[in-house]
Amino acid sequence: MASKSASESPRTPRTVDDAFTDAGLLDTEASVAKRTNRRGEQTRIKIVQAATECFSEYGYTRTRISDITHRADIAQGAFYRHFAGLDDVFLAVLRPGMTELAEAMSRRLSTEDELAVLIDVNVAYLHAYSRHRKVLRLLREAAAASANEGFAQLWLNLRGDFVKRIQRWLQRLRDNGLIGDTDVELLAETLGCMTEQMAYVHVGLVASTPRRERIDALGRAIGEVWFRALPPPSGPEDGSALRS
């Protein structure tokens, strides 16, 4: 009997709001109630900008609402007209980086010219990560330290979506006879973890944002390892379809 296709896995949330809701972090009705008119939008933008600076400087666990309101030069009452609390504004801070990272992760992994595609996908992922590296690093901090378990679930869902995409791609390769029989779920997990950890250590944790050339080199190295990790198809040609 044919194995269950990876494409039958739960579909990736289409929006960041879906991801927040799935993790239990976003109350849709409360979010609607907090929406402001055009006159209040500039204040909201100012709060999010100040929050981004404070979270990046002090970290998730040490940032206070008073830090944000002081930097934004607003009263605390103005803050609460737009956000329910620290976790609510933290979601607004996370939104741009998560949106761009999701777009980078959604780039289709084709089954042609594999090496070039794998390099391109990983380079795009690392550049997106680099542009929001401080905020994405904060998500890992929140996942580990927050009493709100939703942040840990959000981080798990984010990386889980990435792994599922890789798994579906591996399944297509295997179904088309381009790679040999393998545990596609485990291989996808391995490849996804490698990319995620390389991004976190070599892009997120370093003192300054890596130069473009460094990120390109990291993406090329990861893409080449992905390519070499693909099991060759069984048969007389023994892997020449992907290795030629």
Side-chain angles (χ1 to χ4, degrees):
M1 183 173 62
S3 61
K4 184 178 180 179
S5 170
S7 62
E8 295 177 36
S9 302
R11 296 185 66 180
T12 302
R14 289 178 295 173
T15 68
V16 173
D17 279 350
D18 289 335
F20 289 161
T21 302
D22 289 349
L25 291 167
L26 186 67
D27 183 331
T28 304
E29 292 184 2
S31 178
V32 170
K34 287 287 181 181
R35 289 176 185 169
T36 61
N37 56 29
R38 291 181 180 275
R39 290 181 300 174
E41 190 59 28
Q42 288 303 314
T43 300
R44 180 183 173 87
I45 291 172
K46 181 190 280 190
I47 294 171
V48 173
Q49 182 177 352
T52 300
E53 294 171 1
C54 290
F55 281 122
S56 298
E57 184 174 337
Y58 304 132
Y60 169 79
T61 57
R62 294 198 301 149
T63 295
R64 303 169 303 182
I65 290 176
S66 59
D67 297 323
I68 298 171
T69 56
H70 176 74
R71 188 160 304 202
D73 193 23
I74 62 169
Q76 288 206 13
F79 175 93
Y80 285 109
R81 281 197 292 273
H82 295 272
F83 298 99
L86 270 176
D87 284 352
D88 194 20
V89 74
F90 187 54
L91 293 181
V93 169
L94 288 174
R95 186 181 302 278
M98 283 193 58
T99 298
E100 187 171 352
L101 197 63
E103 290 171 353
M105 291 191 301
S106 67
R107 293 165 70 98
R108 182 174 175 81
L109 286 163
S110 74
T111 57
E112 298 179 1
D113 196 8
E114 292 297 334
L115 179 57
V117 169
L118 295 180
I119 291 172
D120 178 63
V121 165
N122 280 286
V123 166
Y125 176 90
L126 292 179
H127 278 294
Y129 196 103
S130 175
R131 284 187 285 272
H132 304 277
R133 68 190 194 95
K134 291 182 179 180
V135 170
L136 293 170
R137 185 173 65 199
L138 286 168
L139 176 56
R140 288 185 64 144
E141 179 190 347
S146 176
N148 187 340
E149 296 180 357
F151 287 115
Q153 191 60 53
L154 177 64
W155 179 72
L156 289 172
N157 290 350
L158 184 65
R159 67 176 306 281
D161 292 340
F162 188 33
V163 170
K164 286 170 186 174
R165 282 195 185 92
I166 301 170
Q167 185 178 340
R168 288 192 290 268
W169 166 68
L170 289 171
Q171 187 70 51
R172 289 201 311 272
L173 289 176
R174 192 174 73 173
D175 291 346
N176 292 332
L178 296 175
I179 63 173
D181 190 33
T182 186
D183 185 333
V184 294
E185 183 177 359
L186 184 57
L187 181 55
E189 180 75 23
T190 302
L191 298 177
C193 284
M194 178 180 64
T195 298
E196 178 193 37
Q197 188 67 5
M198 288 286 282
Y200 180 63
V201 172
H202 293 281
V203 179
L205 288 183
V206 292
S208 58
T209 304
R211 294 185 182 276
R212 172 174 290 275
E213 295 84 358
R214 171 63 173 168
I215 294 175
D216 289 346
L218 290 170
R220 173 171 289 278
I222 296 171
E224 289 174 348
V225 172
W226 275 38
F227 183 72
R228 287 170 173 77
L230 299 176
S234 56
E237 296 186 6
D238 193 26
S240 61
L242 280 176
R243 301 300 190 270
S244 58

